[in-house]
Structure formats: C-alpha cells, structure tokens
C-alpha cells in the first residue's frame, strides 16, 4: 500500500502522524489489521487504508486538513474454480460426482490494482485506470483522459 499526501506541509505531517497512530493501534488485534497471528504477518489492504483515511478526514470536517490523499496498492482476491476434471464415469457414480462424493474447488489468489483519490473531507473517487490529485488535477485529468488507453504499457 502506498499513500500519497498532497497539500499543506503541516497538515500532511499531522495527517501522516494520525494515520501512523491508527495503524499501530490496530496492530495485533484479531479484528483489526496488522499481525493476525504470530506465524504470518497480515498487512493492511488498500481498501482498508482508504476507508480508515476517509474516516480520519471526515472526523475533521469542521476544521479539515488541507490534504488530498491518493491510496494505491494491490488488492488480494481469492478465486474459486470448480474442478470437474476428476469426474468418475463408471464406478458407481452415475451422476458424474467427483471422487469422494464432493466437488473440489481450486483456490487461487489474484491481485488487482486499487486506485483511490480523496478530497479534504474524505470523499473517495475510485478508478480502475488512473487518479489525479493536487493543484493541477484538472489539467492532469484532461491529459490522462486524452492519452490513456486500456492495456497501455
């Protein structure tokens, strides 16, 4: 997960400190993020970071931080496929059930890009292609919309 903060330097540092405190306070909790158990390390997902940052910014809506964050990262998804390649055809399973009488599923992990820009009160703008933030964001959006094509390398 990468968080970029654009705005007034003092507000950027204050928000960065608040995010650091929030993340470290949830480390080790089973319901939070951080270390799930001692054997494997769980890190915060981009979606969770974006939501937490949005909550922090919205809580300060009366006197907001003049910061526009961008959160990017790879979101982990689990893909399940039914494996029907091991069907038996003759030995007592006339309905084509897999060996053992149960359907087996293959689980795979895929990572998809997560891009989210926010305004100074935490309103999220998610995109699958690009996000922009800062003083020149309107110009950047125009250029990005004109130049970007799917599958661009």
């Amino acid at each position: 997960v990468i968080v970029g903060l654009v705005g007034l330097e003092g507000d950027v540092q204050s928000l960065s400190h608040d995010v650091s405190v929030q993340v470290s306070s949830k480390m080790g909790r089973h319901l939070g993020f951080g270390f799930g158990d001692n054997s494997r390390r769980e890190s915060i997902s981009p979606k969770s970071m974006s939501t937490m940052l949005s909550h922090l910014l919205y809580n300060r809506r009366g006197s907001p931080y003049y910061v526009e964050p961008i959160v990017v990262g790879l979101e982990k998804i689990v893909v399940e496929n039914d494996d029907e390649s091991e069907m038996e055809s003759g030995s007592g399973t006339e309905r084509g059930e897999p060996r053992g009488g149960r359907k087996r599923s293959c689980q795979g992990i895929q990572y998809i890009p997560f891009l989210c820009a926010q305004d100074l009160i935490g309103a999220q703008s998610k995109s699958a292609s690009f996000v922009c933030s800062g003083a020149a964001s309107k110009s950047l959006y125009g250029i990005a919309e004109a130049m970007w094509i799917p599958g661009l390398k």
Side-chain angles (χ1 to χ4, degrees):
V1 176
I2 298 173
V3 178
L5 303 172
V6 178
L8 298 177
E9 184 63 28
D11 288 347
V12 166
Q13 290 177 359
S14 296
L15 182 59
S16 177
H17 180 263
D18 289 350
V19 168
S20 177
V21 167
Q22 285 291 320
V23 170
S24 64
S25 72
K26 295 188 179 1
M27 296 293 274
R29 291 187 187 178
H30 294 291
L31 298 176
F33 45 83
F35 295 100
D37 60 353
N38 293 335
S39 64
R40 71 173 220 245
R41 182 173 184 225
E42 294 288 330
S43 60
I44 185 170
S45 71
K47 191 179 288 187
S48 297
M49 176 63 84
S50 180
T51 301
M52 184 191 67
L53 196 54
S54 182
H55 286 225
L56 283 172
L57 290 170
Y58 190 73
N59 284 335
R60 300 257 325 190
R61 66 188 177 276
S63 60
Y65 290 125
Y66 290 98
V67 174
E68 294 181 10
I70 293 179
V71 179
V72 299
L74 295 174
E75 190 72 33
K76 180 168 63 170
I77 59 169
V78 177
V79 179
E80 295 183 16
N81 297 325
D82 289 333
D83 186 11
E84 298 188 17
S85 64
E86 295 196 19
M87 296 284 190
E88 291 184 23
S89 58
S91 60
T93 56
E94 297 177 10
R95 292 182 303 219
E97 294 178 7
R99 293 182 190 145
R102 290 190 211 162
K103 284 188 178 180
R104 294 174 48 179
S105 63
C106 297
Q107 291 186 355
I109 296 175
Q110 291 182 347
Y111 294 93
I112 57 171
F114 179 86
L115 305 168
C116 179
Q118 298 180 10
D119 66 1
L120 54 121
I121 61 166
Q124 297 180 357
S125 174
K126 298 176 185 173
S127 176
S129 54
F130 58 86
V131 292
C132 303
S133 186
S137 64
K138 290 184 172 130
S139 299
L140 288 172
Y141 269 117
I143 292 169
E145 287 173 349
M147 304 291 281
W148 186 84
I149 56 172
L152 188 66
K153 293 184 179 184

